[in-house]
Amino acid sequence: MTENSDFEATRQIYTVLVMHFLEGHKQSDIAEALNLSTSKVNRLIAQGRKQGMVRIEIESPFQRLVEIERLLVQAAGLANAVVTPTVSGNLDTTLKQVGRAAANQLLESLRDGDVIAITGGKAVSAVVDNLDPERTFDVTVVPLTGGVQGKYYTDVNHLASRLAERLGGSTHLVHAPLFAESVEQRDMLMDLGSVKEAFQLARKAAIALVGIGSIQTPGSSYYDLHPDSTADRERLTKSGVVAEFLAHLIGENGEVADYALNSRLVALSPADLAGCPKVIGVAAGAEKVLPIRAALRGHYLNSLVLDEETAAGVLDKMESKQNVA
């Protein structure tokens, strides 16, 4: 197998070996913690031994990625990070790899009774596409924003329904557009019973799965949501806006920008995620370096899944900022 196709299987073996041999957990406890069967945990341990991963200490063939994860956690104050190999010259394959890793992260964290809140976006769609649960989960999936119809990854209700279907759970959808025509219309939509109930559920979610959007490139998902003119895009960039998060435009410092369109969003604000125990950010690609750094500076995430080259770029930008300071 190639390095990329082998990565997820090896990482799972590595996690199980650490929990069993270094942390002393029983196989049944590991199975419960990672949502695996006890027999699969046993097989993973056997595979790890066969591959020579069990010595005096447990090592990973992807040790450089483990080290980058450690540096990200340390630099950004995250609870955890997952870094996947970058497939050079192929962003779609890289994103698929990141989606698979984030899907495993989600499954390891999930418990029956949980509410999962999600955004739209290509990265979140990649997570949904790569979910392969071993059992069904009694969970509720709810959007964090209103939707934009037209593309599979901008219709957040569609993504929420697909995620719930793959997990065997249910949905509480937001039947409202992402952009209202006025602040008054936005307030009216947010006060509708079904919309209010969905967002109340989202505020109490056990897990939030969120994309991190760029506004710097023509292919940015944000311009699929709201097709601004070239002049508007240039004005945004000059004003210090670098990212989209929960459809809100945010600046380099992570704060929500003083931009009129933000006040017309039918969506929770980034600050509303503060009560969520696990917020998993998912992103890949060089154009996501500045947006990821902004989301980290806003303290909106406690878990991050991304590819190696993007992670290196984020660390480099964070280090450069600290040196300047």
Side-chain angles (χ1 to χ4, degrees), residues 120-121 146-157 159 221 224-225:
V148 175
Q149 295 184 352
K151 294 189 177 180
Y152 66 93
Y153 53 83
T154 62
D155 187 346
V156 68
N157 279 339
L159 284 179
S221 294
D224 289 324
L225 301 177

Side-chain angles (χ1 to χ4, degrees), residues 240 242 250-257 293-300:
V242 298
I250 62 175
E252 186 180 8
N253 59 3
E255 295 181 2
V256 174
R293 189 185 67 170
L296 292 174
R297 295 188 73 190
H299 304 290
Y300 301 133

Side-chain angles (χ1 to χ4, degrees), residues 150-194:
K151 294 189 177 180
Y152 66 93
Y153 53 83
T154 62
D155 187 346
V156 68
N157 279 339
H158 176 63
L159 284 179
S161 297
R162 285 175 55 213
L163 177 57
E165 182 180 358
R166 284 181 175 267
L167 293 172
S170 60
T171 57
H172 192 119
L173 303 179
V174 175
H175 296 292
L178 176 57
F179 296 101
E181 294 181 3
S182 65
V183 175
E184 292 75 20
Q185 186 187 69
R186 181 261 184 194
D187 292 342
M188 179 194 71
L189 290 169
M190 292 287 286
D191 202 43
L192 288 174
S194 62

Side-chain angles (χ1 to χ4, degrees), residues 23-325:
E23 298 176 1
H25 294 292
K26 297 178 181 177
Q27 292 185 26
S28 57
D29 293 335
I30 297 171
E32 182 177 357
L34 301 183
N35 284 322
L36 301 173
S37 64
T38 304
S39 60
K40 181 162 185 177
V41 170
N42 185 271
R43 288 198 304 273
L44 291 173
I45 291 173
Q47 288 173 351
R49 284 173 167 157
K50 186 176 181 180
Q51 293 176 20
M53 293 175 67
V54 181
R55 301 186 183 93
I56 296 174
E57 59 184 23
I58 299 169
E59 299 179 353
S60 168
F62 298 94
Q63 198 62 40
R64 72 182 188 283
L65 302 182
V66 174
E67 178 61 16
I68 294 173
E69 291 170 358
R70 185 190 67 79
L71 292 172
L72 271 175
V73 167
Q74 185 178 46
L78 295 166
N80 68 289
V82 177
V83 178
T84 73
T86 300
V87 183
S88 181
N90 195 326
L91 182 58
D92 288 342
T93 304
T94 297
L95 186 58
K96 181 178 180 179
Q97 184 84 7
V98 169
R100 186 180 297 118
N104 287 342
Q105 179 94 164
L106 176 63
L107 290 173
E108 290 175 6
S109 307
L110 206 53
R111 299 293 180 267
D112 287 320
D114 281 351
V115 172
I116 309 168
I118 70 168
T119 67
K122 295 175 184 176
V124 173
S125 182
V127 178
V128 176
D129 287 342
N130 286 281
L131 270 174
D132 187 21
E134 290 196 332
R135 67 173 181 89
T136 59
F137 291 87
D138 180 17
V139 295
T140 301
V141 183
V142 60
L144 285 158
T145 73
V148 175
Q149 295 184 352
K151 294 189 177 180
Y152 66 93
Y153 53 83
T154 62
D155 187 346
V156 68
N157 279 339
H158 176 63
L159 284 179
S161 297
R162 285 175 55 213
L163 177 57
E165 182 180 358
R166 284 181 175 267
L167 293 172
S170 60
T171 57
H172 192 119
L173 303 179
V174 175
H175 296 292
L178 176 57
F179 296 101
E181 294 181 3
S182 65
V183 175
E184 292 75 20
Q185 186 187 69
R186 181 261 184 194
D187 292 342
M188 179 194 71
L189 290 169
M190 292 287 286
D191 202 43
L192 288 174
S194 62
V195 175
K196 181 186 289 187
E197 186 177 351
F199 285 152
Q200 285 174 341
L201 273 175
R203 287 187 182 92
K204 299 176 182 178
I207 303 172
L209 181 66
V210 298
I212 304 166
S214 168
I215 66 160
Q216 302 293 338
T217 59
S220 164
S221 294
Y222 184 76
Y223 300 119
D224 289 324
L225 301 177
H226 192 272
D228 287 341
S229 67
T230 301
D232 288 333
R233 299 182 192 189
E234 292 175 352
R235 186 168 63 251
L236 283 176
T237 302
K238 290 178 180 178
S239 72
V241 170
V242 298
E244 169 266 317
F245 191 78
L246 271 64
H248 290 74
L249 295 176
I250 62 175
E252 186 180 8
N253 59 3
E255 295 181 2
V256 174
D258 182 15
Y259 183 63
L261 197 57
N262 282 339
S263 65
R264 293 195 278 118
L265 291 171
V266 180
L268 293 191
S269 72
D272 285 322
L273 292 179
C276 183
K278 191 174 187 70
V279 182
I280 305 173
V282 190
E287 74 277 6
K288 297 299 181 77
V289 169
L290 289 177
I292 291 169
R293 189 185 67 170
L296 292 174
R297 295 188 73 190
H299 304 290
Y300 301 133
L301 310 172
N302 49 41
S303 181
L304 181 60
V305 186
L306 69 173
D307 66 287
E308 182 178 3
E309 288 185 3
T310 306
V314 172
L315 284 170
D316 182 62
K317 289 292 184 182
M318 294 180 75
E319 185 176 319
S320 297
K321 193 71 177 179
Q322 289 171 352
N323 290 339
V324 171

